[in-house]
Amino acid sequence: MSDVESGDFEDDEKRDFRDSVEKMRGRSSRRKILKFFGAAVGVIVTAGFLPEVGKFLFDRMTYRSNVSVADRKIYSPRYEGEQWVPGGVSFALRNDGNRKSLFTGAQITIEKYARLKACISGSGGSEIIESCYSVTLPVDVTPKKTMNVDLRQVVENENLTFCSLSFSPSEKDEGFVHLYLLDISILQDDGAAIECGKLIVATPKEELMTRYWVPDHIMQEDKLLKREEYLRVWAGSQGSNADSVIRCAEANDRAVKSIFSSAGKAFMSPVMEGVKQILKSGEYDPKTYVVPKNSAQYTPKCEKQD
């Protein structure tokens, strides 16, 4: 082989080698670029995906309840046949947690109390059903007294459950009505307390008008009378001592106003809402006043206990 041919062969080999090296460098660069973009996409996907995965795993590994009071209604004492069933409160409990919750008790603080004597005679009362209430409220009680009552209520997760407490006074005397301003919490089995708010409760009855409470002014035969005028007319027609009746009515009026003036945003039954409105206006017309009804949705049935 001549020198020329040999040199040409060597040049070809060098060119082939350089070409191979350049191809390898090109493939390596493309691989780096692909790896870079792949890593970048991975970071973006991971940044959005991992928190969701973490939350999913945390929720599954951490079982907890999250109960709140979605609503509450105070229902009035009522007739069932010829018997008188005490009123109470019904709580709608919502559990947004991922496990069910068990409530084992309720804590009731008596913020204020008033005992109203019947100042005007009325018709006889009906028998109070002794077994249709869950809480016996003390009478003539000192304010801020706290009492605990047993309760067993399961609130399933992601569900709405109704829990009811019904009230009756320890004194079963138709001659008196007992007014309470209550602050209620319900207690979970782990010791956590769920605040349910303040309530105004009248027991054993809510029919206060004229017999237990006479507002500042009352309509009588199309004439607006002051409390004292109205009571003197009534006492004269009944042969009763007007001064004694007036003293009784004024004492009850002070007690009713004391309860409602301290109530703030307390919850109460439709009947007590009516009393509140009459307190604001100072006037009561028996012909136009309509006693509000309970909401059937929130009124539990009386289940007699053995």
Side-chain angles (χ1 to χ4, degrees):
M1 180 182 295
S2 66
D3 292 337
V4 174
E5 291 176 343
S6 173
D8 292 342
F9 179 75
E10 288 177 358
D11 289 342
D12 290 341
E13 283 186 332
K14 289 178 180 178
R15 281 195 298 272
D16 291 343
F17 178 76
R18 284 196 301 271
D19 290 343
S20 298
V21 170
E22 291 299 326
K23 288 179 181 178
M24 290 175 65
R25 284 175 177 172
R27 285 195 294 270
S28 176
S29 297
R30 286 194 294 274
R31 287 194 189 99
K32 289 179 180 179
I33 292 171
L34 290 173
K35 285 181 179 179
F36 172 78
F37 280 107
V41 171
V43 169
I44 293 172
V45 171
T46 302
F49 180 67
L50 280 182
E52 293 300 320
V53 172
K55 182 177 182 300
F56 174 82
L57 293 175
F58 180 80
D59 287 344
R60 290 298 175 271
M61 294 170 64
T62 309
Y63 289 96
R64 65 194 188 282
S65 61
N66 183 26
V67 180
S68 60
V69 180
D71 198 4
R72 77 278 287 158
K73 295 291 183 184
I74 318 299
Y75 55 91
S76 300
R78 64 201 186 277
Y79 284 106
E80 283 192 4
E82 295 182 355
Q83 292 181 309
W84 191 255
V85 182
V89 58
S90 185
F91 300 109
L93 304 176
R94 176 179 286 117
N95 186 356
D96 294 326
N98 54 16
R99 75 169 180 88
K100 64 184 178 182
S101 180
L102 172 64
F103 287 92
T104 58
Q107 186 177 78
I108 302 173
T109 300
I110 301 174
E111 297 284 343
K112 270 202 164 183
Y113 165 80
R115 187 172 185 257
L116 308 181
K117 180 182 178 181
C119 301
I120 293 179
S121 60
S123 59
S126 300
E127 175 189 356
I128 297 174
I129 301 178
E130 294 290 336
S131 58
C132 287
Y133 60 90
S134 54
V135 180
T136 300
L137 294 173
V139 301
D140 297 327
V141 62
T142 304
K144 300 298 182 180
K145 177 180 174 61
T146 297
M147 53 188 296
N148 292 295
V149 298
D150 292 332
L151 178 71
R152 188 167 184 84
Q153 181 72 57
V154 176
V155 182
E156 298 291 342
N157 57 303
E158 299 180 354
N159 206 346
L160 191 68
T161 302
F162 289 92
C163 171
S164 297
L165 295 172
S166 51
F167 305 106
S168 188
S170 58
E171 178 184 64
K172 304 297 191 296
D173 187 336
E174 286 292 324
F176 297 92
V177 163
H178 306 272
L179 279 181
Y180 297 88
L181 176 60
L182 306 176
D183 192 354
I184 299 180
S185 299
I186 50 176
L187 310 175
Q188 294 186 130
D189 58 346
D190 61 0
I194 307 298
E195 294 287 337
C196 299
K198 293 185 178 182
L199 323 172
I200 288 182
V201 172
T203 183
K205 294 187 176 184
E206 291 184 331
E207 297 173 353
L208 306 184
M209 305 311 299
T210 68
R211 187 181 183 195
Y212 300 96
W213 176 58
V214 180
D216 295 336
H217 298 85
I218 186 167
M219 190 66 71
Q220 182 78 4
E221 297 179 356
D222 299 326
K223 184 179 180 181
L224 192 62
L225 302 179
K226 293 182 179 180
R227 180 190 301 115
E228 182 175 340
E229 293 177 303
Y230 170 79
L231 292 172
R232 288 194 182 281
V233 170
W234 179 87
S237 67
Q238 300 294 317
S240 300
N241 185 314
D243 291 337
S244 175
V245 173
I246 291 169
R247 283 195 299 271
C248 174
E250 288 179 345
N252 285 357
D253 182 63
R254 288 192 296 271
V256 170
K257 288 176 178 175
S258 174
I259 294 287
F260 279 86
S261 65
S262 306
K265 296 183 179 179
F267 299 92
M268 60 195 77
S269 72
V271 173
M272 289 293 102
E273 284 285 358
V275 171
K276 181 179 177 181
Q277 294 305 314
I278 293 171
L279 269 170
K280 286 183 178 180
S281 68
E283 297 181 6
Y284 169 61
D285 187 347
K287 291 183 179 179
T288 60
Y289 179 73
V290 178
V291 178
K293 302 295 184 183
N294 282 326
S295 170
Q297 177 186 1
Y298 290 94
T299 307
K301 293 190 177 297
C302 174
E303 297 180 358
K304 298 183 177 66
Q305 304 167 3
D306 295 333

